[in-house]
Amino acid sequence: EEKLMESGGGSVQTGGSLRLSCTASGFTFDDHDMGWFRQGTGNKCELVAFISGSGGTTSSDTAAVRGRFTASRDDAANTVYLQMDRLTPEDTSVYICAAAPTDYYADFEWRYCSVSSATWGQGTQVTVSA
């Protein structure tokens, strides 16, 4: 069974940092693209970071997090990370990771959260106080 388990969420003050982890099991991790999502304004799904199966491509198309959030992966540990810096109250949300076979979805499908067949984690809560 394919599983993803997020950890590292919690409460932090404005300006602080958190590093989320997402550990995979039940599938070959290093040939999967990974994405980090959150629920944005109005519960809209936002892709906050993406990292390809090779690790060669990382991106964050959400302007609100560009330059502050970075994805990385450790294939030996079957884990993808989300480093979040200079956090603001607007970053408060549930953060969820997802996995799909490399190139199964196009970039725009990740960007618009159209990856319904991906494997999804349960999410981890991040709360940023003023």
Side-chain angles (χ1 to χ4, degrees), residues 47-65:
L47 175 69
V48 296
F50 169 86
I51 185 164
S52 64
S54 66
T57 302
T58 61
S59 66
S60 175
D61 289 316
T62 300
V65 306

Side-chain angles (χ1 to χ4, degrees), residues 29-34 51-58 73 75 102:
F29 181 73
D30 59 5
D31 65 3
H32 279 65
D33 295 335
M34 303 295 297
I51 185 164
S52 64
S54 66
T57 302
T58 61
R73 63 190 296 156
D75 288 346
T102 298

Side-chain angles (χ1 to χ4, degrees), residues 13 45 98 106 112 128:
Q13 291 186 327
C45 174
Y112 291 107
V128 186

Side-chain angles (χ1 to χ4, degrees), residues 24-98:
S25 61
F27 60 92
T28 304
F29 181 73
D30 59 5
D31 65 3
H32 279 65
D33 295 335
M34 303 295 297
W36 282 98
F37 297 89
R38 72 182 184 186
Q39 289 181 311
T41 303
N43 284 331
K44 178 183 176 183
C45 174
E46 291 183 329
L47 175 69
V48 296
F50 169 86
I51 185 164
S52 64
S54 66
T57 302
T58 61
S59 66
S60 175
D61 289 316
T62 300
V65 306
R66 199 171 298 141
R68 299 188 298 120
F69 288 16
T70 305
S72 62
R73 63 190 296 156
D74 181 348
D75 288 346
N78 287 355
T79 300
V80 62
Y81 303 98
L82 180 65
Q83 178 66 42
M84 306 187 295
D85 297 319
R86 303 192 303 281
L87 287 161
T88 73
E90 288 69 36
D91 295 317
T92 295
S93 187
V94 176
Y95 287 74
I96 307 169
C97 64

Side-chain angles (χ1 to χ4, degrees), residues 3-7 21-25 29 77-80 97:
K3 288 185 178 180
L4 296 172
M5 178 68 71
E6 300 95 338
S7 62
S21 301
C22 171
T23 300
S25 61
F29 181 73
N78 287 355
T79 300
V80 62
C97 64

